[in-house]
Amino acid sequence: MCSLQLVLLQVFFLTLPENAQPQPSSSASGAVPTSPDLGPGTLGGTVQSSSEGTATPPDVLGISTVGPTLVTSSAPRNRTVELFPVLPICVCDLTPGTCDINCCCDRDCYLLHPRTVFSFCLPGSVRSSSWVCVDNSLIFRSNSPFPSRVFMDSNGIRQFCVHVNNSKLNYFQKLQKVNATNFQALAAEFGGESFTSAFQTQSPSAFYKAGDPILTYFPQWSVISLLRQPAGVGAGGLCAESNPAGFLESKHTTCTRFFKNLASSCTLDSALNAASYCDFTVLKVPRGMTDLQNMEFQVPVTLVSQAGPPVLAGNTCQNVVSQVTYEIETNGTFGIQKVSVSFEQTNLTVEPRLSLQQHFIIHFRAFQQSTAASLTGPRSGNPGYIVGKPLLALTGDISYSMTLLQSQGNGTCSVKRHEVQFGMNAMSGCKLRVKTANCSHLQQEIYQTLHGRLRPEHIAIFGNAYPAQKGGWTKILHRSCSVSAKNCTSCCFIPVSLEIQVLWAFIGLQSNPQAHVSAARFLYQCQSVEDSQEVPLTTLVNFVDITRKPEPPRGQPRMDWKLPFDFFFPFKVAFSRGIDSQKGSVPPILILCLLLLGVLSLETK
């Protein structure tokens, strides 16, 4: 009975301390950085069960309040992944009809468990959750249906936290601490393939992962190699043959080849022959290299159209490969299902120091996906624009990227043009050689040179706009020049400069703002010319941010814990009287403890 009294006294003094009142907050902030990879037991501090005692914390939880405060933190990583996670928007789904790498919410990937193929999930492609915490001394019993934990903050105050299912909260990820102890573990968990050889002593993987080199097999020589995608290196963009193609990495590379004697290289150089790009089979999965006689692991390369070998006819080398396009269909962990290749060929005239520019395109798409869906151009954002992505324009029902002038080596205007990138101010110029003396025709030619073959009529409001969605485009304002100049009958008033002004702003939640275009305008600068052989032209684009910053948030609502001013008065009186009473009488404090014990026993029944 004595031991029971001591326990009851301890409970009483812990739950009803003298002059108890809400503790002041030491900071206005109550947010904890999100770390989706951390579980409930590793949120940067000591984690204790609500039924366990206090332990010495090895670290400190990043909670910035001491008193009753609503704070948020990350939830533990889900052990299972839904087929298509239900998210309001999939911000990393930039390529319609194509699987975006490491975008775990992309429906075009058709992956039941994206983490088995992707090395990680892009931010915003998986759900997040939150924790709500208050001072642990204010909690007597928790009836919450959600999981609860007790944390220790930096001041040694225990915080009682409840795991709340609230996926709308989104905060920055907490930076991980890397040292010599966990460096190798983190590198192995999150790292990909290095520049080391793909052929190592360990057994091959059961399936390809994003970025893995694609294995090929040459049956006539019994040699295993890699699928190559030559790329340009150096200032001259010389072709580097050893550049491997990465699994699920759709890329377009360009490089240049120089020939000292095209007459001999025409039929001997394998890079000019279409047969060298399809005389092998592709291994469906890496473990296929252990059983090369099993044709189930090999996928033949299918020719979309016939391409003849190079032929030297007089002073011309015919059927030279200028572009190679691979279409690869994949089925998640089941590997590569189909490979097709198409070629573009050209004829070269034999002359000294001749060069050839070649293009190599590799495009991946899901096995169930239709070819028409995969041909849709990539998005510039979903929904908001991403800085550096193409600025989308519309003419009629044709959607394309807005462009600027590009000059050749001699300064004259080139057929190729620079792509306008969202948020990137740019300026370019070139010289146009006048071919007509008619002022009206000259104006039309210059207008077409300034804005491109198609004159942009509308600009996409968001980066995921489709041509059929008329509400997703805004009309471009423009001002043209007059037909003729004043006081000069032989002069022609022509545009010499085009400035593209784009007004844009962020909208939506501050935690995940989306950039959209509010309006765009074409401004032409004109001048009069007379019998000019060359006209210098200039194009520039200027992005203006018109975002109106809202008032800073006042923080999350906090619980206002209030007690009557004289709440502890009856207990003080009883305690003081108990001291002055005789030694043989029962102290009132003991009576009160017994009453509390009776109430607790009734609640447990």
Side-chain angles (χ1 to χ4, degrees):
M1 183 66 182
C2 294
S3 61
L4 177 61
Q5 291 179 2
L6 293 176
V7 173
L8 292 174
L9 286 173
Q10 184 180 7
V11 173
F12 173 76
F13 286 112
L14 286 175
T15 56
L16 298 172
E18 185 175 357
N19 298 329
Q21 59 182 354
Q23 302 179 16
S25 174
S26 62
S27 175
S29 172
V32 178
T34 299
S35 182
D37 292 334
L38 297 177
T42 57
L43 289 174
T46 302
V47 182
Q48 302 169 349
S49 174
S50 58
S51 61
E52 297 176 356
T54 305
T56 303
D59 292 311
V60 177
L61 175 68
I63 300 178
S64 59
T65 57
V66 179
T69 308
L70 291 176
V71 299
T72 58
S73 179
S74 67
R77 176 185 292 178
N78 295 333
R79 295 302 178 187
T80 59
V81 182
E82 300 177 1
L83 179 59
F84 297 123
V86 181
L87 294 175
I89 54 175
C90 186
V91 296
C92 56
D93 183 10
L94 303 180
T95 311
T98 302
C99 178
D100 292 272
I101 300 176
N102 298 325
C103 185
C104 294
C105 58
D106 191 348
R107 295 174 180 265
D108 299 321
C109 295
Y110 295 93
L111 298 176
L112 182 61
H113 301 289
R115 293 183 187 272
T116 62
V117 177
F118 297 151
S119 57
F120 63 95
C121 290
L122 289 172
S125 64
V126 292
R127 281 190 175 276
S128 61
S129 56
S130 62
W131 292 84
V132 177
C133 301
V134 295
D135 197 313
N136 188 50
S137 62
L138 301 174
I139 300 299
F140 183 73
R141 173 177 294 176
S142 172
N143 296 324
S144 172
F146 302 102
S148 61
R149 295 287 187 274
V150 176
F151 300 96
M152 190 78 71
D153 67 3
S154 58
N155 296 323
I157 304 299
R158 299 176 68 192
Q159 300 284 338
F160 177 83
C161 301
V162 177
H163 186 196
V164 180
N165 184 17
N166 184 0
S167 62
K168 295 182 180 180
L169 298 178
N170 182 21
Y171 296 92
F172 288 105
Q173 186 176 4
K174 186 177 180 180
L175 185 64
Q176 298 189 65
K177 294 182 178 180
V178 182
N179 50 38
T181 305
N182 62 353
F183 185 95
Q184 182 60 32
L186 292 174
E189 181 181 0
F190 299 100
E193 292 291 336
S194 64
F195 288 98
T196 58
S197 174
F199 307 104
Q200 300 180 0
T201 57
Q202 65 266 23
S203 60
S205 175
F207 50 83
Y208 289 110
K209 289 188 177 182
D212 285 351
I214 300 174
L215 301 177
T216 59
Y217 177 63
F218 293 84
Q220 63 271 33
W221 300 301
S222 299
V223 174
I224 298 177
S225 183
L226 300 177
L227 181 62
R228 309 290 183 178
Q229 186 178 13
V233 295
L238 298 177
C239 291
E241 304 291 345
S242 59
N243 182 49
F247 183 69
L248 292 183
E249 293 183 349
S250 298
K251 289 184 179 180
H252 181 181
T253 59
T254 303
C255 63
T256 305
R257 300 184 187 275
F258 293 89
F259 304 97
K260 294 182 178 180
N261 186 3
L262 181 60
S264 61
S265 301
C266 180
T267 56
L268 298 179
D269 194 342
S270 60
L272 307 181
N273 193 344
S276 63
Y277 298 98
C278 56
D279 59 345
F280 51 84
T281 60
V282 177
L283 297 187
K284 184 179 296 185
V285 289
R287 61 188 175 93
M289 63 185 300
T290 60
D291 188 6
L292 296 175
Q293 303 302 323
N294 190 351
M295 298 303 297
E296 293 182 359
F297 291 115
Q298 300 183 27
V299 180
V301 180
T302 305
L303 285 174
V304 176
S305 59
Q306 295 297 326
V311 177
L312 183 61
N315 200 34
T316 303
C317 183
Q318 302 176 353
N319 301 331
V320 175
V321 173
S322 60
Q323 178 171 306
V324 183
T325 304
Y326 288 103
E327 288 283 342
I328 303 177
E329 298 183 13
T330 62
N331 190 13
T333 57
F334 294 98
I336 297 173
Q337 304 298 312
K338 183 180 179 180
V339 180
S340 60
V341 62
S342 59
F343 300 97
E344 290 186 9
Q345 295 179 308
T346 184
N347 298 331
L348 298 178
T349 303
V350 177
E351 58 185 27
R353 298 180 181 179
L354 183 67
S355 63
L356 170 66
Q357 190 176 65
Q358 289 183 316
H359 302 268
F360 300 91
I361 304 172
I362 296 182
H363 182 253
F364 292 86
R365 62 185 179 94
F367 186 61
Q368 302 95 332
Q369 180 183 341
S370 63
T371 306
S374 65
L375 295 178
T376 308
R379 302 185 182 102
S380 294
N382 194 23
Y385 274 102
I386 297 177
V387 175
K389 293 294 183 179
L391 184 65
L392 303 180
L394 181 70
T395 301
D397 294 332
I398 302 176
S399 175
Y400 53 93
S401 301
M402 192 172 293
T403 57
L404 300 177
L405 291 172
Q406 180 175 342
S407 62
Q408 297 180 355
N410 58 1
T412 58
C413 296
S414 173
V415 179
K416 298 180 180 179
R417 298 177 63 87
H418 290 293
E419 196 173 61
V420 176
Q421 298 176 338
F422 180 81
M424 310 290 288
N425 296 336
M427 179 177 180
S428 63
C430 62
K431 293 182 179 181
L432 177 66
R433 294 178 178 176
V434 178
K435 300 178 182 179
T436 177
N438 187 288
C439 182
S440 178
H441 292 170
L442 180 59
Q443 285 182 338
Q444 294 179 3
E445 181 183 359
I446 293 179
Y447 276 124
Q448 184 175 4
T449 304
L450 289 174
H451 54 63
R453 184 177 60 87
L454 297 177
R455 183 170 186 174
E457 299 174 351
H458 298 81
I459 192 171
I461 299 177
F462 287 101
N464 61 349
Y466 289 94
Q469 299 173 341
K470 299 303 180 183
W473 303 81
T474 180
K475 188 175 180 61
I476 299 176
L477 306 176
H478 57 86
R479 184 185 65 191
S480 302
C481 297
S482 303
V483 176
S484 60
K486 296 181 179 179
N487 303 326
C488 182
T489 57
S490 61
C491 296
C492 184
F493 205 53
I494 60 174
V496 294
S497 174
L498 168 61
E499 180 181 1
I500 304 174
Q501 295 180 343
V502 181
L503 305 183
W504 68 278
F506 282 117
I507 61 173
L509 298 175
Q510 294 189 56
S511 60
N512 189 20
Q514 302 295 315
H516 83 295
V517 174
S518 302
R521 180 173 64 172
F522 282 8
L523 291 180
Y524 294 94
Q525 299 293 334
C526 307
Q527 71 180 26
S528 60
V529 296
E530 183 178 3
D531 298 334
S532 178
Q533 299 297 324
E534 289 185 344
V535 178
L537 303 179
T538 304
T539 54
L540 62 152
V541 59
N542 184 26
F543 290 87
V544 181
D545 184 3
I546 60 173
T547 303
R548 292 186 178 273
K549 303 293 183 181
E551 295 183 1
R554 300 179 180 178
Q556 299 182 0
R558 300 183 178 182
M559 298 181 183
D560 190 7
W561 299 88
K562 294 182 179 179
L563 298 174
F565 179 75
D566 56 350
F567 178 80
F568 295 102
F569 179 74
F571 306 105
K572 292 181 180 179
V573 174
F575 184 73
S576 62
R577 289 180 180 177
I579 296 177
D580 298 336
S581 62
Q582 298 179 0
K583 295 182 179 180
S585 61
V586 180
I589 189 65
L590 181 58
I591 298 176
L592 181 59
C593 293
L594 294 175
L595 290 176
L596 292 175
L597 179 60
V599 173
L600 292 176
S601 62
L602 290 176
E603 291 183 357
T604 57
K605 292 182 179 179

